[in-house]
Amino acid sequence: MATSDREHGRRAPTLRPDLVALTEWIAPGERVLDLGCGDGVLLRHLIDTKGVVGYGIENDPARIVACIERGINVIQSDLDEGLADLQDGHFDHVIMSQALQAMHNTQGILQEMLRVGHEAIVSFPNFAFWKHRKSILEGHMPVSESLPHQWFNTPNVRFFTVADFTTLCGLLDIEVREWRGFDDQGRPVQEDLNFLAALAIARIGRRA
Amino acid sequence: MTHPRSVGFVEAQKAHFDEPLPLKAGRVLPQYDLVYETYGTLNAARNNAVLVCHALSGSHHVAGVYRDDPHNVGWWDNLVGPGKPLDTEKFFVIGVNNLGGCFGSTGPVSINPVTGRPWGADFPFVTVEDWVNAQARLADRLGIERFAAVIGGSLGGMQALSWSLQYPERVRHVLAIATAPKLSAQNIAFNEVARQAILSDPDFHGGNYYEHGVVPKQGLRLARMIGHITYLSDDAMAEKFGRALRHGIMRYSYDIEFEIESYLRYQGDKFARFFDANTYLLTTRALDYYDPAADYGGDLAAAFARAEAAFLVVAFTTDWRFSPARSREIVSALVHSEKDVCYAEIDSKAGHDSFLLEHPRYHAVLRAYFNRIEV
């Protein structure tokens, strides 16, 4: 599901900066659901460092086996079909790391995340990163660390920016409580995320 | 990893129990035998034992062959053996024939010590919970305090689930495959038709057919035919038989016209030769009665609260007897009671029968799960 997820193989991988950043938002012992959990690296990290009760949802057979080998609770499911088996408010945090851009039912899954979780954390490649803008100006679709595929083979189906995501949240009565951004070297971005961040992370919740 | 191979020649063993077993339906079995087989070696820490629970027509003969019957291969031989997903070089594996069975454990064909005649129709109703209690006593006998895992498919999966509720401290992992937390009305309906086929056979004699020197073959045969329809998927039947004709042309008769009829009759006849009708009745009833959430107002998550095991749940896409939706009920309950659980939904054409087959993805999941169990 996650499209720029390069973390395969058995060796202990280095966590992507966005995963390290979102760990700060998780309190010890929380109930966490990771949508599109890949091979379980993030959940393993959250279990080891925060003692969370964690579950991952994944639909790729090889990644499910990888999660099982890693000792991660993984549940096979197609996220585009929603989270109907899960009760309202069961999780403290629902995480979707670099998977939203590959989903068709964008609005539905955001609503579902905030139905089963008190808060959600969404990370995604920012299409408006300045190098991507430059690429478009030069006449080509951007290909980069955060958007690693060519236009003809990308699994991404939704292309959006930090600004677009903010607008959508407004429409869905969702508030963005905190942003983090990283440039294409993985360095934190302090200002103008929509221009300077290759990768953005939002902590979101229901507007009171 | 060892190249996968058979456990080779195996021998069934019998354990006799004199301590009466109180049954869920109220009666007491005064004494009983359990036949079982073991594969591999119990380690010094006694923490590598895996119990394999059988389904409706299964037995204690899980793997390997008999010296005097080399074609009688165990029913889960593709899973259990050296180098196989349930690796007998790592685990000590036990298969046991359930009470009420017809493969050597005490059942309707056994002699009732009080009357000196076969139990027949008077054999008490046994439930999934009773089977698990009997299995626990066998575990005591074998010196196993805690199983590394209990695994089963279909009705066997129900026993595996029940282990985690009846003896939470005695099982570390539960592998529940192609199963359900309880039967649906449709499931019960199929069982009822199968039972009526047996009960209405003139050779049934109220269950005491042994004394008349007959078996209700027609009834058993029909019961098995109905069962087989539900074990296969529509796709698998279409692929295997389609509308293929036995004689190439239609003969306009009630003899075999279509190949699927030939298959069902063959399966029915084969089954009726070796399976006991009373065991069939008892076992389908055990399926019907199983409902661990009933004592918790139907709240399965509340029922699982006491479980201490970690779970692997597996379902198959074309299984309509115990569909993936039924497995997801189990998974959902386990998540909501904060248990460790993994769930894999295997793309398979073979319907309910898939759990017995050697599907690469399915076996990769089981292998990965068994690999992570520490012994």
Side-chain angles (χ1 to χ4, degrees):
Chain A
M1 180 66 72
T3 56
S4 62
D5 189 346
R6 296 286 177 76
E7 297 155 353
H8 267 280
R10 293 295 86 78
R11 72 196 158 74
T14 322
L15 271 194
R16 280 195 326 242
D18 56 319
L19 302 185
V20 174
L22 69 81
T23 301
E24 293 169 20
W25 290 335
I26 307 291
E30 278 193 0
R31 297 196 273 205
V32 174
L33 180 67
D34 185 4
L35 304 181
C37 66
D39 55 6
V41 175
L42 172 62
L43 276 174
R44 184 76 262 160
H45 178 70
L46 292 175
I47 291 164
D48 293 345
T49 61
K50 300 278 181 158
V52 301
V53 179
Y55 298 87
I57 293 186
E58 181 54 63
N59 207 17
D60 177 77
R63 287 174 172 175
I64 287 164
V65 169
C67 283
I68 292 173
E69 287 170 346
R70 228 183 261 283
I72 295 298
N73 292 319
V74 64
I75 293 159
Q76 182 168 5
S77 179
D78 180 355
L79 288 180
D80 268 322
E81 289 171 14
L83 305 170
D85 291 335
L86 298 173
Q87 290 168 4
D88 294 1
H90 182 74
F91 292 95
D92 297 299
H93 276 106
V94 181
I95 300 167
M96 182 175 273
S97 158
Q98 301 223 46
L100 191 64
Q101 73 276 9
M103 301 204 44
H104 285 93
N105 186 14
T106 316
Q107 300 180 60
I109 196 68
L110 285 173
Q111 304 276 25
E112 276 289 86
M113 288 173 80
L114 288 174
R115 179 183 67 79
V116 304
H118 295 293
E119 269 194 351
I121 297 169
V122 179
S123 77
F124 58 90
N126 175 30
F127 203 73
F129 176 49
W130 68 271
K131 284 188 183 175
H132 298 160
R133 300 188 193 199
K134 181 165 167 280
S135 181
I136 295 274
L137 280 175
E138 288 165 357
H140 289 284
M141 288 297 283
V143 176
S144 69
E145 185 72 17
S146 62
L147 287 171
H149 296 90
Q150 296 287 346
W151 66 273
F152 49 83
N153 66 4
T154 179
N156 296 338
V157 295
R158 302 278 185 248
F159 299 93
F160 57 101
T161 69
V162 167
D164 292 332
F165 185 78
T166 307
T167 306
L168 177 64
C169 286
L171 291 173
L172 297 178
D173 257 350
I174 292 170
E175 64 179 11
V176 179
R177 293 175 181 167
E178 213 169 338
W179 279 106
R180 291 273 195 281
F182 298 89
D183 68 15
D184 55 348
Q185 305 300 309
R187 290 176 302 227
V189 172
Q190 306 302 340
E191 55 185 13
D192 200 0
L193 261 55
N194 201 41
F195 191 69
L196 297 175
L199 190 63
I201 324 174
R203 182 166 67 85
I204 61 177
R206 283 251 152 261
R207 195 174 287 153
Chain B
M1 188 181 79
T2 321
H3 185 70
R5 57 182 202 275
S6 167
V7 296
F9 293 121
V10 298
E11 275 177 42
Q13 299 170 73
K14 186 175 278 193
H16 180 76
F17 297 83
D18 277 322
E19 192 194 342
L21 183 73
L23 302 171
K24 192 179 178 188
R27 288 173 66 185
V28 174
L29 205 54
Q31 50 173 299
Y32 55 96
D33 292 332
L34 290 176
V35 288
Y36 65 99
E37 288 178 11
T38 68
Y39 324 100
T41 312
L42 187 61
N43 63 13
R46 296 172 182 267
N47 68 358
N48 69 332
V50 175
L51 178 67
V52 178
C53 303
H54 69 74
L56 211 167
S57 59
S59 72
H60 53 287
H61 186 37
V62 175
V65 295
Y66 299 125
R67 220 170 266 282
D68 58 357
D69 190 4
H71 298 296
N72 185 356
V73 181
W75 58 269
W76 223 349
D77 191 77
N78 61 30
L79 181 76
V80 179
K84 293 183 179 177
L86 179 40
D87 191 343
T88 50
E89 300 203 321
K90 175 180 179 183
F91 294 107
F92 176 62
V93 181
I94 303 164
V96 54
N97 185 212
N98 283 326
L99 282 178
C102 53
F103 296 107
S105 290
T106 298
V109 295
S110 311
I111 300 299
N112 179 350
V114 176
T115 63
R117 299 203 310 252
W119 280 94
D122 196 38
F123 194 84
F125 278 96
V126 282
T127 62
V128 167
E129 289 83 358
D130 299 327
W131 288 334
V132 169
N133 285 332
Q135 290 160 1
R137 289 194 181 171
L138 179 64
D140 294 340
R141 183 74 59 89
L142 296 174
I144 298 157
E145 253 177 61
R146 196 173 186 216
F147 281 107
V150 179
I151 179 173
S154 193
L155 175 57
M158 292 175 173
Q159 292 158 61
L161 292 175
S162 206
W163 260 96
S164 73
L165 306 180
Q166 291 175 252
Y167 298 97
E169 69 294 345
R170 294 192 70 175
V171 53
R172 285 193 284 148
H173 294 271
V174 164
L175 291 83
I177 301 163
T179 193
K182 63 178 181 229
L183 291 198
S184 66
Q186 188 194 50
N187 294 147
I188 296 170
F190 277 118
N191 281 347
E192 174 59 4
V193 176
R195 278 192 297 270
Q196 285 302 323
I198 292 169
L199 293 166
S200 60
D201 186 322
D203 283 339
F204 184 64
H205 296 288
N208 295 317
Y209 43 89
Y210 317 101
E211 296 169 13
H212 294 80
V214 291
V215 279
K217 260 196 188 145
Q218 279 305 323
L220 256 179
R221 182 170 177 264
L222 271 177
R224 187 59 169 176
M225 287 167 80
I226 294 156
H228 256 281
I229 298 170
T230 70
Y231 304 150
L232 294 177
S233 68
D234 195 18
D235 284 353
M237 265 198 204
E239 192 170 293
K240 209 167 172 180
F241 308 104
R243 289 177 53 86
L245 292 169
R246 184 66 180 278
H247 306 289
I249 53 161
M250 309 231 185
R251 291 187 163 185
Y252 299 98
S253 85
Y254 294 116
D255 290 336
I256 293 172
E257 287 273 50
F258 296 92
E259 286 293 353
I260 180 63
E261 298 169 352
S262 166
Y263 170 81
L264 287 178
R265 290 185 195 195
Y266 171 79
Q267 291 295 340
D269 286 337
K270 191 173 85 172
F271 190 70
R273 276 196 294 275
F274 73 84
F275 207 81
D276 179 64
N278 282 317
T279 292
Y280 200 92
L281 295 174
L282 280 173
T283 309
T284 56
R285 262 302 186 224
L287 270 161
D288 294 354
Y289 289 136
Y290 183 65
D291 183 6
D295 291 340
Y296 298 85
D299 184 347
L300 192 61
F304 275 123
R306 60 185 295 126
E308 292 174 21
F311 294 78
L312 173 67
V313 179
V314 180
F316 301 91
T317 48
T318 55
D319 183 350
W320 58 280
R321 174 104 181 191
F322 291 136
S323 71
R326 307 310 311 283
S327 282
R328 285 198 293 263
E329 289 174 35
I330 298 168
V331 172
S332 167
L334 290 168
V335 169
H336 292 125
S337 57
E338 293 187 30
K339 305 301 169 188
D340 283 329
V341 55
C342 290
Y343 172 59
E345 204 167 289
I346 311 291
D347 262 311
S348 165
K349 288 182 181 174
H352 188 56
D353 265 352
S354 300
F355 86 88
L356 296 167
L357 305 178
E358 196 176 342
H359 184 293
R361 232 211 95 201
Y362 168 43
H363 272 204
V365 165
L366 291 180
R367 184 182 290 279
Y369 198 88
F370 277 119
N371 278 348
R372 92 179 204 197
I373 299 178
E374 287 171 17
V375 299

